[in-house]
Amino acid sequence: GDDRVGQAGGQGVIGIIGGGAFGTALAVALAQGGAEVLLWSRSGAGPNREMARLPSVRLADSIPVTASLADVAAAEPALTMA
């Protein structure tokens, strides 16, 4: 599992199910605003941390991508499907 789930300095992790264009954009926007996010994608990120549906955006290293629904479902305080 992802060791970051539930360990975001007391604020928790926002889990996003869906690594498409909207989910990726949401993860990037939340991370830029200071939130810790965990992005679920069945296909993962590309070699340059790009997502297939939004290839012009490189994910920051602070945004982990998982293929484990269990990891992202454990995110607290929030979980959203995008």
Side-chain angles (χ1 to χ4, degrees):
D2 191 300
D3 293 336
R4 293 169 42 113
V5 175
Q7 297 183 17
Q11 293 187 3
V13 176
I14 299 171
I16 300 170
I17 298 175
F22 181 72
T24 299
L26 181 60
V28 168
L30 289 169
Q32 287 176 342
E36 291 205 39
V37 299
L38 176 61
L39 179 61
W40 176 87
S41 172
R42 71 175 145 227
S43 57
N48 294 321
R49 302 213 20 98
E50 295 171 343
M51 302 302 288
R53 301 287 180 158
L54 201 59
S56 62
V57 174
R58 182 188 177 281
L59 291 177
D61 292 335
S62 64
I63 303 174
V65 179
T66 183
S68 169
L69 281 173
D71 282 351
V72 77
E76 293 182 16
L79 175 66
T80 187
M81 294 180 72

